[in-house]
Amino acid sequence: MIVMTREPDAEPDFTLQDFLSFDTPEGYRAELIDGEIVVTPPPDGNHERCIMRIVKQVLASSATPMDFSGQKGLIVPVADGRQGRVIPDITFAPAKLDLLLDAPTWMPATGVAMVVEVTSSSPDHDRNAKRRAYAAAQIPLYLLVDRQRHEVTLYSDSVRNEYTSSSTVRLGGGVKLPEPFSFTLETDSFAV
């Protein structure tokens, strides 16, 4: 992982302009998180297997039909009024909204029902900065599969830039997803 930080006296738009013109190597992804450009290498097979298991369960069991995207760029607010750019491992939205149809590379998070992150090379970004970004964007649910800690946490009830409720289970347990999903996500098949 590469992290590029902006100079303290730099203009706020400078980082966004730099970020939007940033050319990442093939397979890598770049995000603008808390004023830092974060470049992440391609995920390993266990990471992808976990994502596949989550997607299969949601598509098969969700009470509300869902569309999903892997690696969809979302625009999120940042504490100082600027915009950040994040790319969740999975973005779920009710199919009836058709949010992904004609969506630009970076789209607003309005209408997104849940985002999912599976930790890899930068777990602290997923645990902290991205959690705050998703809460600030008013995304109702954030599911974090923390492979280093062997646990899954569901965050909900966002207020400003924080979730006020969370529920954590050890890998292998069940995570009760509320509406619009309304089913228990089983984690026993998630690769560690």
Side-chain angles (χ1 to χ4, degrees), residues 112-189:
V112 170
M114 180 170 71
V115 290
V116 179
E117 294 288 355
V118 178
T119 59
S120 54
S121 61
S122 56
D124 285 337
H125 280 101
D126 295 334
R127 292 175 189 144
N128 299 306
K130 290 181 99 174
R131 184 194 74 239
R132 290 189 302 270
Y134 297 142
Q138 299 296 299
I139 297 172
L141 301 171
Y142 171 37
L143 183 73
L144 174 63
V145 179
D146 195 319
R147 296 190 301 163
Q148 290 77 7
R149 294 181 177 168
H150 306 284
E151 60 189 26
V152 180
T153 302
L154 179 66
Y155 295 95
S156 59
D157 303 321
S158 62
V159 175
R160 291 188 210 101
N161 63 344
E162 193 55 80
Y163 288 103
T164 59
S165 296
S166 66
S167 174
T168 301
V169 299
R170 298 291 296 166
L171 277 177
V175 178
K176 292 182 181 183
L177 298 179
E179 292 182 356
F181 300 92
S182 304
F183 78 97
T184 299
L185 180 74
E186 298 300 334
T187 69
D188 54 348
S189 66

Side-chain angles (χ1 to χ4, degrees), residues 43-73:
D44 63 28
N46 290 344
H47 183 275
E48 294 300 289
R49 182 177 183 272
C50 182
I51 288 170
M52 180 176 55
R53 298 292 193 250
I54 294 168
V55 168
K56 283 183 176 182
Q57 286 187 61
V58 169
L59 295 182
S61 302
S62 180
T64 300
M66 290 286 159
D67 284 339
F68 79 95
S69 177
Q71 311 292 317
K72 180 67 193 129

